[in-house]
Amino acid sequence: MSRIAYVNGAYVPHNQACIHIEDRGYQFSDGVYEVWAVRQGKMLDSEGHFRRLKRSLGELRIAMPMSVGALDVVLREIMRKNRVRNGLIYLQITRGVAPRNHAFPKDTFPSIVITAKSTNPAKADQTAKNGVAVITVPDERWARCDIKTVSLLPNILAKQAAHEKGAFEAWMVDEKGQITEGSSSNAWIITREGVLTTRNLSSDILGGITRAHVLTLAAERQLKVEERSFSLEEAQNAQEAFMTSATTLVTPITHIDGVAVGQGKPGPLASALRKDYLQTAAT
Ligand code: PDD
């Protein structure tokens, strides 16, 4: 079956889908994106991702090219056309096509691309069962990490560094020695005292939609929660560590920079939160 992409109003074969060479996303990274997980035919946390999309576009003063209602119809259609029951939907909106000039062009219309791909849920669940290793790298990003922009160079360099060291993810460390977040995920620990801890929202991190959902699950479980920064040392000495994102959902971390967290096995709370997440995130 051939894959289908949505490009500026048309459903086109994936291998023929294209965007103009003067698209500002291509020339300046002048655009934003969103990623939705799909499990058993349902998008996870769909409303949260729409809300963040609108916010990211607003921060960059790019217009929403269509209403959320219309976008929702297209996302479902792209899922259906690509027969994705388990997988990911990717959406990218840029400021549009214009002769190259740094300042915003007048009278351009945003470009929109939506794709979907299937992933193997059993494989992802097995990865979570085994747990993963992370390394740390300096956080070299700009001052507006709260915007989900396609400008991801420091993030891809961080992820590449992780893969070259046989790790799954890189946690980024700010100049005060505190963990900000992963290259494509939010970072969490459960401290020695049993407190579920993740960095507070600010322009230093992306406000993860999975993060927000896990915080509501933690409240329901009446867990002790602190939204604050934590150091590498505190993370390595924690009872548990895990990451959250649309692509990894809730995935336990067993090692940080080669140091075992707890017993060096997926922790019980992280594993329970993953299960809760899968049971409650479908929309
Ligand atoms: N990344 N932090 C960063 C830097 C991210 O890129 C992501 C998601 C997250 C988690 O956000 P959410 O829970 O809303 O997915 C945190 C996506 C999945 C990606 O780039 O593929």
Side-chain angles (χ1 to χ4, degrees):
M1 190 201 65
S2 58
R3 285 179 73 193
I4 302 293
Y6 177 86
V7 183
N8 293 329
Y11 293 96
V12 292
H14 190 273
N15 58 4
Q16 287 164 37
C18 47
I19 284 279
H20 194 273
I21 53 167
E22 284 197 311
D23 190 276
R24 288 177 63 93
Y26 179 59
Q27 290 191 324
F28 295 118
S29 304
D30 187 4
V32 305
Y33 75 108
E34 272 301 330
V35 179
W36 286 258
V38 179
R39 280 285 180 128
Q40 291 168 350
K42 304 256 193 229
M43 283 186 269
L44 306 189
D45 279 330
S46 70
E47 276 175 24
H49 288 279
F50 283 129
R51 212 176 316 117
R52 187 174 60 194
L53 174 65
K54 283 202 285 188
R55 179 179 184 277
S56 297
L57 288 170
E59 292 299 303
L60 299 182
R61 292 192 277 150
I62 297 175
M64 260 299 259
M66 60 174 91
S67 68
V68 164
L71 206 50
D72 191 47
V73 170
V74 177
L75 293 185
R76 289 174 198 283
E77 188 59 13
I78 208 82
M79 247 164 70
R80 194 187 65 77
K81 283 186 186 299
N82 290 283
R83 297 192 196 154
V84 171
R85 271 193 64 72
N86 293 288
L88 295 167
I89 301 174
Y90 177 80
L91 170 148
Q92 177 170 328
I93 296 173
T94 71
R95 200 178 304 278
V97 176
R100 187 175 183 280
N101 188 345
H102 288 61
F104 297 174
K106 281 202 183 81
D107 305 323
T108 49
F109 197 75
S111 302
I112 176 163
V113 169
I114 304 172
T115 57
K117 70 170 181 189
S118 294
T119 56
N120 182 344
K123 198 173 156 208
D125 291 342
Q126 191 57 50
T127 300
K129 250 197 189 128
N130 296 342
V132 298
V134 302
I135 60 156
T136 58
V137 296
D139 193 337
E140 294 173 337
R141 299 174 301 160
W142 72 327
R144 290 301 309 274
C145 299
D146 55 312
I147 303 173
K148 198 162 173 66
T149 155
V150 292
S151 181
L152 289 171
L153 263 181
N155 307 59
I156 64 173
L157 293 175
K159 185 80 90 188
Q160 181 62 20
H163 287 189
E164 285 173 9
K165 288 191 172 159
F168 185 82
E169 175 62 305
W171 276 8
M172 296 181 280
V173 183
D174 68 17
E175 71 272 0
K176 291 185 188 133
Q178 306 286 303
I179 309 291
T180 50
E181 61 182 330
S183 72
S184 62
S185 59
N186 288 114
W188 301 71
I189 57 170
I190 295 146
T191 64
R192 280 278 168 101
E193 296 73 34
V195 182
L196 184 62
T197 306
T198 192
R199 181 132 174 165
N200 52 298
L201 292 182
S202 74
S203 53
D204 294 338
I205 65 164
L206 184 73
I209 304 306
T210 322
R211 174 189 180 282
H213 190 127
V214 168
L215 284 173
T216 62
L217 294 175
E220 281 162 24
R221 282 178 167 256
Q222 299 184 324
L223 301 178
K224 267 197 177 169
V225 177
E226 279 181 12
E227 290 180 71
R228 62 162 174 86
S229 51
F230 55 86
S231 67
L232 168 61
E233 196 191 351
E234 189 178 4
Q236 286 174 326
N237 285 304
Q239 283 182 27
E240 296 187 34
F242 65 95
M243 59 197 277
T244 57
S245 71
T247 43
T248 60
L249 310 180
V250 178
T251 293
I253 290 168
T254 56
H255 293 81
I256 306 174
D257 280 344
V259 174
V261 179
Q263 307 300 312
K265 292 194 188 113
L269 189 52
S271 305
L273 286 170
R274 180 181 177 88
K275 208 165 150 214
D276 281 5
Y277 183 77
L278 281 165
Q279 281 169 358
T280 54
T283 46

